[in-house]
Amino acid sequence: ITRHTLAHTRTPPAQAKPFDTTQTMGGLVYSNYGSIDSAEFIFDINRDDSRNHDYNIAGIASYNAFGASVTNAYAHGHVDIFQENNAFVRLSGIVGTGPGKMENVRNETSFNVTAYNVELAGIARATGRVVNCANTGDIKANSWGYLQRIAGIVLTNEVLVDSCSNSGNIHFAYSSSLGADSVAMAGIVALNFGGGVVKNVLNEGRILMEDISREGNYPSRYGIGGIVGLNWGLVDSTENGKPVLHECPNFYNECEYSHVETARSTFSIGGVSGKNFGELKNSKNLGRVAGFTNVGGVAGLSDSLLENVNNRGPVYGISVSYEHYAYTNTTEPYVGGIAGRCNVVEGAYNEAPIFYGYAAQKKSSHIGGVCGNLKGSMNQAYNIGDIYSEDNVDSSFVAGIVA
């Protein structure tokens, strides 16, 4: 896996100047049914909006139709939006949606959004085929709604994301929850659906989700990963190099008191994939991973295949950080060097330490050097990482391979 440096002309034939806009638009064209090549767009958006409407903005084209293409395109600048009503803010650096292809595209735009619901992507929200792309823009969001999708490259993929990299940091601050909500967040693809392929990609941007209300009202369902948030397709030949964290940028110093008391809570966070229901192969994680309930160096929860995967980043199952702690009353924590919960494992190697601590926990914890729990089969799995566990529940389980 290599970093992708794309050469773009600063003054290409098609260039848009800074603009300020509202609601729905594409920076150069609204709908693209042909080909756009060698284009640059400069974002310059500052909005403090009290009106109840959605924003749908893309740098090059709002819609990229079947058979259409965007190549050698480049976007940069900044977007700052504060939308105080119950509306969506949907932003992407290059293309909004559409089945058309993209190749050799780059986004350096920084997003800073406060809104009820957010869908933010460095390259595209939904697209067909994306090859050789890079995002370096940071994405920061503050949301209190029921649906949040954030990714460095693409939000939803059903075709192909190949040879792409993200080095932009992603910071999602969640301020409240009604309990019927979900988060999908990742360095590359938030949701990789069946038929979707993500391969030869690299994430080097830190991913952080934190509760800023200090009330512990977390989303009831989430998948957060360095590469993909939730996977139903194929993830192959990928690498995550930066931390993937729920709430704690500096584990022992900045955790806040938090409650995790909802039985429906399905938190899953992993260095490569938050939740895996497809195939995850030939991938490795180098970054620190920290979270609640389902936590793994490669996948938080894997209900399908993990093959030839490797973890080298320390894994923290957070329940305590001195006087600042979180606790689980209704959900059993599963923490593993490779995955919190596993189904089928064919070749897995954990080289990093695993840390787990308790506070006022009432449920058993399952801490494993490879998997916290295994419901299927395992072959050629190894662990050389130390396990550090402090637990006040007598029925909890700790093991070098599978708890």
Side-chain angles (χ1 to χ4, degrees):
I1 300 173
T2 59
R3 296 175 177 82
H4 302 282
T5 302
L6 308 183
H8 292 275
T9 305
R10 290 283 177 171
T11 55
Q15 182 178 9
K17 295 181 179 180
F19 81 114
D20 200 357
T21 188
T22 60
Q23 303 192 53
T24 303
M25 73 158 295
L28 294 184
V29 298
Y30 185 83
S31 297
N32 176 40
Y33 293 93
S35 61
I36 297 175
D37 183 64
S38 301
E40 177 183 1
F41 184 77
I42 305 170
F43 280 98
D44 185 12
I45 301 177
N46 295 279
R47 287 288 180 190
D48 189 339
D49 200 341
S50 61
R51 290 174 293 174
N52 190 18
H53 62 244
D54 297 341
Y55 283 85
N56 299 281
I57 299 173
I60 302 298
S62 179
Y63 180 75
N64 195 33
F66 180 79
S69 65
V70 176
T71 57
N72 304 310
Y74 169 50
H76 58 110
H78 76 280
V79 177
D80 290 278
I81 294 177
F82 181 90
Q83 167 60 279
E84 65 182 34
N85 288 312
N86 296 341
F88 272 91
V89 172
R90 302 179 176 96
L91 298 175
S92 47
I94 304 298
V95 165
T97 63
K101 70 176 184 179
M102 288 186 287
E103 188 168 353
N104 296 331
V105 294
R106 182 181 186 91
N107 176 62
E108 295 181 2
T109 312
S110 62
F111 297 153
N112 186 3
V113 176
T114 297
Y116 182 69
N117 293 315
V118 296
E119 294 185 347
L120 311 174
I123 300 298
R125 299 202 321 272
T127 187
R129 181 175 177 270
V130 186
V131 177
N132 196 21
C133 66
N135 175 66
T136 63
D138 292 340
I139 300 174
K140 185 175 182 180
N142 179 359
S143 177
W144 59 95
Y146 61 87
L147 186 69
Q148 296 82 28
R149 305 283 185 261
I150 306 173
I153 301 299
V154 174
L155 293 187
T156 61
N157 174 53
E158 296 184 77
V159 184
L160 175 66
V161 175
D162 185 7
S163 302
C164 293
S165 66
N166 172 63
S167 59
N169 294 320
I170 298 174
H171 183 180
F172 173 52
Y174 200 77
S175 56
S176 67
S177 169
L178 299 177
D181 45 14
S182 65
V183 173
M185 185 164 68
I188 303 297
V189 175
L191 299 167
N192 188 47
F193 290 115
V197 177
V198 178
K199 65 178 184 178
N200 305 317
V201 297
L202 172 68
N203 177 59
E204 290 192 316
R206 187 188 74 167
I207 298 171
L208 168 64
M209 172 177 162
E210 64 174 344
D211 169 31
I212 62 172
S213 69
R214 309 309 183 199
E215 298 173 356
N217 293 321
Y218 293 108
S220 58
R221 300 176 302 279
Y222 72 62
I224 302 174
I227 301 299
V228 297
L230 292 89
N231 173 52
W232 290 269
L234 172 63
V235 176
D236 191 3
S237 301
T238 70
E239 178 181 317
N240 174 59
K242 293 295 182 179
V244 183
L245 311 169
H246 179 185
E247 198 198 20
C248 298
N250 295 307
F251 179 69
Y252 285 112
N253 297 322
E254 297 184 19
C255 286
E256 294 292 337
Y257 183 84
S258 305
H259 305 262
V260 185
E261 299 182 345
T262 305
R264 296 184 302 107
S265 297
T266 54
F267 304 165
S268 295
I269 185 167
V272 176
S273 178
K275 296 180 181 179
N276 175 48
F277 303 102
E279 297 180 68
L280 199 165
K281 302 179 177 181
N282 307 311
S283 297
K284 63 182 176 181
N285 172 59
L286 307 178
R288 177 163 54 99
V289 180
F292 299 117
T293 63
N294 299 309
V295 186
V298 173
L301 182 154
S302 179
D303 199 38
S304 189
L305 175 66
L306 295 173
E307 181 179 316
N308 190 26
V309 292
N310 172 239
N311 176 56
R312 301 180 189 175
V315 178
Y316 294 84
I318 300 173
S319 279
V320 66
S321 180
Y322 298 118
E323 71 275 11
H324 300 299
Y325 58 84
Y327 63 85
T328 62
N329 279 351
T330 58
T331 304
E332 293 187 354
Y334 294 87
V335 182
I338 295 298
R341 287 198 267 180
C342 304
N343 189 351
V344 178
V345 180
E346 293 290 336
Y349 190 17
N350 177 57
E351 304 176 52
I354 301 166
F355 301 88
Y356 182 80
Y358 72 89
Q361 183 178 313
K362 296 182 180 180
K363 290 290 184 177
S364 300
S365 58
H366 304 256
I367 318 300
V370 175
C371 297
N373 171 270
L374 177 69
K375 74 174 185 178
S377 62
M378 178 179 289
N379 184 40
Q380 295 187 335
Y382 306 90
N383 171 54
I384 62 170
D386 294 332
I387 300 174
Y388 304 88
S389 178
E390 297 181 4
D391 204 321
N392 66 339
V393 181
D394 293 338
S395 59
S396 293
F397 308 92
V398 179
I401 300 296
V402 177

